[in-house]
Amino acid sequence: MSNNSAKTTGQDGMNRAKAYQLVLFPLNNGATNVYFVLVLSYIAMFGNGVLGLLMAFATIMVTAMRLCDAITDPIIGALIDRTSGKFGKFRPFMIIGNLVMAASVLVLYLFTPLIPESMMWLRYVLFVLLYFIWVIGYTFQTSCTRSGQTVLTNDPKQRPMFTLFNTVGSLIGMGAMQFLAPIIRSNVGDYNTAEFYRVLAPLGIVISIVLTILAVIGIWEKDQPKYYGIGGANAEKVKVSEYIAIIKGNKPMQRLMVAGAGCKLALAIATNVSVLCMLYGCMMGDYDGLYLPMMVLGYACSAPFFLLTIRTSQKEGQKASLEKYVRLALIMYVGVLVLLLFWRQGDPAFNLSLMGENGLSINLYTILFIVFFGIGYGAYYSTADMPIPMVADCSDYETYRSGKYIPGIMGTLFSLVDKLVSSLATTVVAIAVSFIGLSDLPAAETPYAPGMNWVVIVLFCIIPMLAWIATLIAMKGYTLTGPKMKEIQAVNAARKAAIADGKTMEQAMKMYQTIDQVPAEFKS
């Protein structure tokens, strides 16, 4: 057997990443999560509170736009799969996507408020058009986070590390925006003022561009044809007409899409700015004193879970890790739910309290909330992005199953789910608050309205809990366990070596169909 494949892989045929690559490339997720907060968390409030658009339009439009994604996302996925130029397959889409998002967000947040109210029709048109342009850029870059992992590493020991650095990247991007937003609000203007967005948008864009540059450096060396599937540069191009049949045959991907949607929905709704304004501001009466401490608490509690999820993933596989910690989050949020059910307006014993007039003022209710929320948030935040590296497993499974290397379509499928669920969260929040008679999305200074506690209970607890239950059900039939992925990587490595020796794809597929047929050097 030729050693051609050893030039790009280890002696066992495994493609492994260098330490700096594992650290830097996942920052691409941090770059896009800047916009997850900047746009998906605030666009409805911006449209309603700053531009004066009807709340129903500003929220439902964001979800309705997903119908366009059902057409554009597969096209973008096909473009990624067919791209293999001087600058690689993924880097062009990362850079172009980030620039498109930056330009559209700048125009949306900085210039559309300058349009006079007498030309309200133009505000509506530009709001839709700029959001649509932003969505294209978002798909370009987010799909690369999912699909680019396939060239970074296929080592079952390394791939769970992507979850850690992916979450760190997410923390840097999303965390920076969530940390800066209340500070800007208290110094510049509330979430429904144009001044708030004039400051937040440029800051977010700069952070995202820096993270994108670092991510491009991380994937630079790996973004080459020799890492593209088992056929490398000679891999057969997949026709767009074949995509539906491929996805229908990839059962693990179908289940992962449900699980990913569940994890994302829980995160999107529970961290929605309007929900948090109602919880910490309207109900508890101290948004400025509670939001940042609770956010820091959640992130601090996430740190040990990042390490635990990696350890579990390396020993038992990513499926087992996802199930274990989603189940823990579900159990802890039962406690959060009970506490919110006991909440009483104006009763100090049943309200969150951190600081009083004379300094630290913590009651039993707050201590219990910190315990249940901290552990629950830490567990589910550590799993929120876990389906992302599992997309690479599904892509490798497709290569094992059919010989096709289609990371682009796999990435855009997950990007579609990401955007659908994220935008659905905004619509769900708007519908929920409309039931208690609010015509505008709640901000930090919005007074408490009767029934708002039930809205918070449903949005902050019940819907995320139902989403986690859906995740656990979907994972029951997910077959890509740790041992199965080791088998898949060994078979793919043997086929790749055979193709490098001059065999055709069909010959290599027939030579190595099971782990028993694979030479010992490819078995780790």
Side-chain angles (χ1 to χ4, degrees):
M1 184 176 292
S2 169
N3 288 326
N4 288 344
S5 63
K7 296 178 181 179
T8 60
T9 61
Q11 292 300 314
D12 56 359
M14 199 70 69
N15 169 30
R16 295 183 175 87
K18 297 174 182 176
Y20 83 90
Q21 294 169 333
L22 280 174
V23 172
L24 293 184
F25 176 64
L27 294 177
N28 192 64
N29 190 45
T32 55
N33 272 342
V34 167
Y35 288 102
F36 178 86
V37 178
L38 186 60
V39 176
L40 293 172
S41 293
Y42 289 105
I43 190 167
M45 188 171 288
F46 171 80
N48 177 228
V50 178
L51 297 184
L53 310 184
L54 293 174
M55 182 176 71
F57 176 85
T59 55
I60 295 175
M61 183 282 301
V62 175
T63 300
M65 192 67 76
R66 297 289 76 81
L67 297 175
C68 299
D69 291 337
I71 299 172
T72 59
D73 281 18
I75 294 173
I76 293 171
L79 285 174
I80 294 175
D81 288 337
R82 290 174 173 270
T83 298
S84 182
K86 180 180 178 182
F87 297 104
K89 180 185 290 289
F90 305 106
R91 286 170 287 167
F93 288 90
M94 293 164 63
I95 296 170
I96 294 171
N98 196 263
L99 293 177
V100 167
M101 286 192 288
S104 58
V105 164
L106 273 178
V107 176
L108 176 66
Y109 282 157
L110 271 63
F111 295 106
T112 53
L114 302 179
I115 299 172
E117 291 187 19
S118 60
M119 299 180 67
M120 185 62 72
W121 65 270
L122 185 56
R123 291 188 180 185
Y124 276 95
V125 171
L126 287 180
F127 183 79
V128 175
L129 179 62
L130 291 169
Y131 181 74
F132 177 73
I133 293 172
W134 173 82
V135 162
I136 297 297
Y138 188 72
T139 304
F140 268 40
Q141 190 166 3
T142 53
S143 59
C144 291
T145 300
R146 284 93 175 149
S147 54
Q149 303 165 75
T150 58
V151 299
L152 192 68
T153 179
N154 61 5
D155 186 349
K157 294 289 186 183
Q158 273 196 336
R159 192 163 276 173
M161 294 294 293
F162 188 91
T163 304
L164 171 63
F165 295 117
N166 188 66
T167 308
V168 171
S170 174
L171 278 172
I172 294 173
M174 182 181 291
M177 299 305 290
Q178 290 177 330
F179 180 80
L180 290 171
I183 296 175
I184 294 171
R185 173 196 158 272
S186 61
N187 289 280
V188 176
D190 208 349
Y191 299 131
N192 52 9
T193 64
E195 291 76 16
F196 172 79
Y197 297 95
R198 290 195 191 109
V199 177
L200 185 67
L203 281 175
I205 289 169
V206 170
I207 294 171
S208 184
I209 289 174
V210 171
L211 294 175
T212 299
I213 292 171
L214 293 173
V216 168
I217 294 171
I219 201 174
W220 193 283
E221 186 180 330
K222 292 285 188 175
D223 195 6
Q224 302 180 53
K226 60 186 177 182
Y227 295 109
Y228 301 162
I230 61 177
N234 299 318
E236 178 186 354
K237 300 296 183 183
V238 180
K239 298 178 182 177
V240 176
S241 59
E242 297 179 77
Y243 282 136
I244 295 178
I246 288 172
I247 299 306
K248 285 179 66 177
N250 197 316
K251 303 298 182 184
M253 185 62 180
Q254 295 173 19
R255 289 187 171 273
L256 186 62
M257 288 172 67
V258 174
C263 291
K264 198 70 175 184
L265 183 63
L267 180 66
I269 291 183
T271 60
N272 183 277
V273 64
S274 295
V275 176
L276 298 181
C277 283
M278 287 188 288
L279 173 60
Y280 297 131
C282 307
M283 285 178 60
M284 303 301 173
D286 188 15
Y287 180 83
D288 291 330
L290 291 171
Y291 173 80
L292 275 179
M294 288 300 174
M295 185 193 76
V296 172
L297 168 70
Y299 285 163
C301 290
S302 299
F305 282 105
F306 297 152
L307 302 178
L308 288 171
T309 55
I310 291 173
R311 192 173 184 85
T312 305
S313 296
Q314 291 176 329
K315 287 187 173 182
E316 305 173 34
Q318 297 189 101
K319 171 189 174 179
S321 185
L322 179 61
E323 288 179 320
K324 180 178 292 187
Y325 297 106
V326 163
R327 192 175 292 113
L328 177 60
L330 179 60
I331 294 170
M332 289 296 104
Y333 262 65
V334 171
V336 176
L337 173 61
V338 171
L339 288 173
L340 291 181
L341 288 172
F342 274 103
W343 173 83
R344 296 290 180 271
Q345 186 178 12
D347 188 341
F350 294 97
N351 274 260
L352 293 178
S353 174
L354 290 177
M355 300 297 294
E357 294 181 359
N358 300 317
L360 194 64
S361 175
I362 300 180
N363 54 24
L364 178 61
Y365 186 90
T366 304
I367 293 172
L368 292 174
F369 189 90
I370 287 173
V371 171
F372 289 124
F373 170 76
I375 296 174
Y377 187 93
Y380 91 70
Y381 193 84
S382 68
T383 61
D385 286 332
M386 192 176 291
I388 293 178
M390 294 171 74
V391 175
D393 288 347
C394 290
S395 183
D396 290 343
Y397 168 75
E398 184 58 42
T399 302
Y400 164 83
R401 187 184 75 88
S402 67
K404 307 292 187 185
Y405 179 64
I406 52 167
I409 195 64
M410 294 291 188
T412 49
L413 271 172
F414 235 73
S415 177
L416 177 61
V417 171
D418 179 303
K419 291 181 295 183
L420 174 62
V421 171
S422 301
S423 60
L424 180 63
T426 302
T427 302
V428 169
V429 172
I431 293 173
V433 299
S434 69
F435 278 117
I436 56 174
L438 297 182
S439 58
D440 297 319
L441 290 172
E445 302 300 330
T446 302
Y448 177 80
M452 191 177 281
N453 59 318
W454 289 105
V455 172
V456 171
I457 287 170
V458 170
L459 297 178
F460 192 73
C461 291
I462 294 178
I463 291 181
M465 291 167 71
L466 292 175
W468 292 325
I469 291 172
T471 296
L472 293 172
I473 292 173
M475 282 291 99
K476 284 288 185 183
Y478 184 79
T479 57
L480 301 185
T481 59
K484 182 62 177 178
M485 285 311 302
K486 290 180 180 179
E487 176 184 339
I488 287 172
Q489 300 302 356
V491 171
N492 282 347
R495 289 172 177 173
K496 184 172 184 176
I499 292 171
D501 269 344
K503 298 291 191 297
T504 64
M505 176 69 74
E506 291 72 21
Q507 290 172 330
M509 295 281 287
K510 289 179 180 179
M511 285 175 63
Y512 304 114
Q513 296 182 352
T514 67
I515 188 67
D516 296 331
Q517 298 171 314
V518 172
E521 64 262 31
F522 295 111
K523 299 177 183 178
S524 57

